[in-house]
Amino acid sequence: MEAVEMSSQHRSRPVVVGVDESASSRVALHWAAELAAATGTPLVLLHARIHGSADVASAPLPPYMRELVADAERCGVAHASVEIVSGNTVDLLHDRARHACLLVVGSYGDGAWSGTLVGHIALGLAGRVGCPVAVVRGARPGMPPARGGPIVAAVDDLRTGPGVLDTALLLARASAAPVLVAHCAADRSPSGTISPDDDAAAHRLVDWGMRWITDQAPDVAVAGEVIQDGVGRGLGDLAVSARAIVVGHHPQPATARSTMRRLIEFAPCPIVAVPARLDPYVPAGPEPGPADVATAQPSR
């Protein structure tokens, strides 16, 4: 397979996937391996050992780890390496994020709470590290993610939009999927409808996102949608048929019930959380232009 061309942001940095013996971990590994193979990116399998000797680097690989490496190679990964390190999983993955283009974790397992689809590791990483974090799952435990549908780029504003679009384009090109640029117009007037100004700003933002994708990759099919059902419900509905949803994340208290957290907990498809830029993106031309889009209050 010819490798997908990557941006300078992603080039040469590995995809890091947290692994253990769970079925959820194997699903995440396959997803990460297919991405790494399609982009020609190194793949790092990281396993954290909370108990046992700190000197684990020279120990023989356990059978399940050898199976995961073989799975990665069957997916076409050119370079897969293994790290078995003593320590806390969240802390170790947080540290590796400094040198990764993407962190990938599973979601189901003993760490998941009743009624949700995710455990503490995914919630401890998403939106809190310096690179995008993919939380991978299908609609049910043991079910792999859907292989059809669009990559949804959930653009919220110009602080998260460029990173969301860049990551969505990477996933789309790696999987030969279309991109759906979506914006949820959550601010409603007292009558319960979207104000004309908010509606116009939402469409400008979506149009800008579509142009961004087309300018970067004219060969990738792209569509746009302004959703007026509210952020959580709107993106939750899209998750049913999406291949993945890429969503931006603004710094918030750990207890905040953000849209990103709701999607990670309940959406039946992979969710990729992209951290916000320190400085807002400023378009070079007159589009999308309006200050209300660039400075809108984030909903994440």
Side-chain angles (χ1 to χ4, degrees):
M1 177 186 298
E2 182 180 353
V4 172
E5 183 178 353
M6 301 181 73
S7 70
S8 59
Q9 173 184 345
H10 300 292
R11 192 178 299 118
S12 80
R13 293 189 173 193
V15 173
V16 177
V17 54
V19 296
D20 55 27
E21 297 183 73
S22 69
S24 175
S25 173
R26 190 174 294 270
V27 169
L29 180 279
H30 287 170
W31 191 91
E34 289 183 355
L35 175 63
T39 57
T41 307
L43 180 68
V44 177
L45 286 68
L46 177 65
H47 174 65
R49 287 184 56 178
I50 299 177
H51 304 292
S53 170
D55 184 18
V56 296
S58 60
L61 291 181
Y64 83 89
M65 188 66 80
R66 292 197 296 270
E67 292 176 4
L68 293 179
V69 172
D71 286 347
E73 292 174 346
R74 280 192 289 269
C75 288
V77 175
H79 180 69
S81 59
V82 173
E83 291 186 31
I84 302 178
V85 188
S86 291
N88 177 274
T89 303
V90 173
D91 292 342
L92 289 170
L93 286 169
H94 193 286
D95 178 70
R96 296 306 188 273
R98 294 180 298 169
H99 308 292
C101 69
L102 182 72
L103 288 184
V104 182
V105 295
S107 60
Y108 297 110
D110 294 337
W113 292 282
S114 175
T116 73
L117 306 178
V118 69
H120 71 282
I121 292 176
L123 290 175
L125 290 166
R128 295 183 172 86
V129 299
C131 73
V133 176
V135 182
V136 179
R137 61 162 167 270
R140 298 191 305 273
M143 176 182 291
R147 302 184 69 86
I151 304 295
V152 176
V155 292
D156 189 35
D157 54 29
L158 296 184
R159 192 176 292 276
T160 59
V164 166
L165 292 167
D166 187 52
T167 302
L169 180 56
L170 174 68
L171 299 181
R173 299 189 70 179
S175 58
V179 174
L180 174 62
V181 179
H183 176 70
C184 295
D187 296 328
R188 294 177 177 269
S189 67
S191 64
T193 59
I194 304 297
S195 71
D197 287 346
D198 287 340
D199 184 64
H203 281 87
R204 284 194 295 268
L205 184 59
V206 169
D207 289 344
W208 164 75
M210 294 173 63
R211 285 194 300 272
W212 194 98
I213 295 292
T214 299
D215 289 345
Q216 297 291 322
D219 57 314
V220 173
V222 60
E225 182 174 352
V226 173
I227 302 168
Q228 300 190 2
D229 289 336
V231 179
R233 179 178 176 183
L235 292 179
D237 289 345
L238 289 179
V240 175
S241 57
R243 190 179 183 109
I245 292 182
V246 184
V247 62
H249 176 70
H250 292 271
Q252 292 181 339
T255 56
R257 299 296 298 174
S258 67
T259 298
M260 180 203 71
R261 177 167 180 144
R262 291 196 297 272
L263 287 170
I264 288 174
E265 288 180 338
F266 298 108
C269 73
I271 302 298
V272 184
V274 179
R277 296 167 59 107
L278 295 178
D279 298 312
Y281 169 77
V282 178
E287 72 279 2
D292 55 342
V293 173
T295 61
Q297 292 297 315
S299 57
R300 310 271 182 257

